[in-house]
Amino acid sequence: MNEPARSEGFAHAPATIRLGDLEVRRMGYGAMRLPGKDVWGEPDDPARARDVLRRAVDLGINFIDTAWFYGPLVANRLIAEALHPYPRDLVIATKLGGKRLPDKSWGPALRPEELRKGAEEDLRTLRLERLDVVHLRHRPGDGVPFMESLDALLAMQAEGKIRHLALSNVSAREVEQALARTPIVAVQNMFNVSGGGGAIAKYTHSEVDDPEGVLDLCTRKKIAYLPFFPLAVGNVAKDKPVLAAIADKHHASPAQIALAWLLARSPVILPIPGTSSVEHLEENWDARRIALSPDDVAAIGKQG
Ligand SMILES: NC(=O)c1ccc[n+]([C@@H]2O[C@H](COP(=O)([O-])OP(=O)(O)OC[C@H]3O[C@@H](n4cnc5c(N)ncnc54)[C@H](OP(=O)(O)O)[C@@H]3O)[C@@H](O)[C@H]2O)c1
């Protein structure tokens, strides 16, 4: 097991969350904003992107979420350039099941041979011999039966290429189905104060039925829940005006309140805000210090 994380600074306990035999602090970093515009190609300033990654580790963040198809291959390469050889307690989670098409859109890659190719790309570009956490990113209508894709990941786990399995874009039923076959250490679904509406409504293909039900299931089973788009892709303040008043009270920003709300919502939530800026990274990390009252949590959680 890696070293237990220090607990200082987290207003909403616990400070850490277990991922199988690993343990990480309950505020991670999502690497999707590191490549160029539209998560495609090189960033304007690769040195700045590497600074963000190094600063994340300096701050105490020891969980990074990435995927070979961010860039494609750009986010992973920047992570390796900035951080390899990796700190002993750093956990890098990846995703399989997606790919990028020439028009920059996001397509499925869920056939066993595509999943295997993706894992090889992750291992090569991250310079790893084994992937600590791999999410199976499975969306309805992607064409390959869920259990067939899961079995392909299990085969790679048996070969020692994958340490722990996780799921993304899944319903409670799919989580239960997977759990009947194998342990799952994390679920990564879209979840934020906007509840899937407002500016992120265009990402509805990422929505699953009953997101609260999936979170409740993970909370009961102590499975880490990674809310993606935790800042509604930077639109939380616009989508949820109530954040501004609560932010003023806490001398904080609306983005920080949105992250504090996630930490308060469940002890298994591990936010993975994405940013290409050191300033936003530091602001997001500091959100862990904000203690929201039960009234604040309820007001933010109200629809509308
Ligand atoms: N499983 C999946 O299917 C899936 C799908 C999407 C994303 N993800 C994962 O989830 C992570 C998070 O999602 P995301 O990065 O797309 O969206 P997000 O975290 O909701 O928002 C990121 C956006 O917010 C801005 N931002 C960050 N911190 C801010 C702050 N303190 N104040 C104001 N704006 C701020 C960023 O701009 P700046 O760069 O200017 O800071 C960026 O445009 C991704 O990095 C990825 O790892 C997974």
Side-chain angles (χ1 to χ4, degrees):
M1 200 186 89
N2 58 352
E3 286 172 23
R6 290 190 304 270
S7 62
E8 79 271 9
F10 279 80
H12 293 285
T16 63
I17 178 95
R18 298 192 70 91
L19 302 164
D21 63 341
L22 304 169
E23 188 172 3
V24 296
R25 295 191 178 94
R26 215 157 62 89
M27 180 67 79
Y29 171 70
M32 198 172 102
R33 300 290 149 191
L34 289 178
K37 190 172 169 308
D38 300 328
V39 197
W40 190 267
E42 295 298 320
D44 291 342
D45 186 349
R48 182 164 167 254
R50 287 189 289 268
D51 284 348
V52 171
L53 288 158
R54 289 196 199 96
R55 185 68 183 135
V57 167
D58 285 351
L59 289 170
I61 291 171
N62 58 4
F63 182 85
I64 297 178
D65 180 71
T66 185
W68 71 265
F69 44 86
Y70 292 167
L73 303 175
V74 175
N76 280 4
R77 199 204 66 233
L78 289 166
I79 291 169
E81 284 172 356
L83 301 176
H84 192 274
Y86 300 114
R88 212 158 57 93
D89 69 343
L90 179 68
V91 174
I92 300 176
T94 66
K95 273 163 247 105
L96 297 175
K99 69 179 174 197
R100 301 302 291 280
L101 303 172
D103 66 355
K104 303 187 187 177
S105 61
W106 304 72
L110 285 155
R111 295 199 310 273
E113 65 277 16
E114 291 178 305
L115 293 166
R116 185 168 286 273
K117 187 163 169 277
E120 296 299 345
E121 294 285 32
D122 274 332
L123 287 165
R124 181 177 64 78
T125 50
L126 290 167
R127 302 186 215 160
L128 289 169
E129 283 172 15
R130 182 173 59 162
L131 302 168
D132 272 341
V133 176
V134 176
H135 296 86
L136 172 59
R137 178 176 168 278
H138 196 281
R139 295 188 306 200
D142 277 350
V144 181
F146 176 62
M147 294 310 275
E148 189 179 323
S149 299
L150 185 65
D151 280 345
L153 262 59
L154 278 167
M156 289 190 270
Q157 188 180 41
E159 292 165 22
K161 290 185 162 73
I162 295 175
R163 187 169 184 163
H164 295 302
L165 295 180
L167 303 172
S168 181
N169 293 290
V170 280
S171 63
R173 203 180 125 260
E174 285 163 331
V175 176
E176 298 277 21
Q177 249 183 309
L179 285 174
R181 174 89 41 109
T182 178
I184 294 297
V185 299
V187 167
Q188 184 172 151
N189 279 4
M190 183 164 77
F191 195 86
N192 56 49
V193 295
S194 310
I200 59 166
K202 64 179 172 186
Y203 301 103
T204 43
H205 61 270
S206 297
E207 271 179 339
V208 298
D209 289 342
D210 190 17
E212 295 281 345
V214 182
L215 174 58
D216 287 348
L217 175 66
C218 290
T219 305
R220 266 187 285 119
K221 304 242 179 215
K222 296 189 168 52
I223 296 172
Y225 185 95
L226 282 54
F228 77 71
F229 293 156
L231 298 172
V233 201
N235 290 297
V236 276
K238 212 184 313 157
D239 285 356
K240 205 80 189 184
V242 68
L243 290 180
I246 297 173
D248 279 351
K249 204 169 63 181
H250 288 275
H251 308 290
S253 71
Q256 288 180 311
I257 300 300
L259 294 172
W261 179 81
L262 288 168
L263 291 171
R265 277 290 277 107
S266 164
V268 300
I269 284 193
L270 162 59
I272 46 168
T275 179
S276 55
S277 125
V278 167
E279 293 71 26
H280 282 164
L281 175 80
E282 291 174 349
E283 187 180 318
N284 297 343
W285 173 244
D286 281 345
R288 78 199 187 288
R289 297 185 189 281
I290 299 168
L292 295 177
S293 69
D295 285 350
D296 288 341
V297 174
I300 296 166
K302 266 199 205 126
Q303 292 298 317

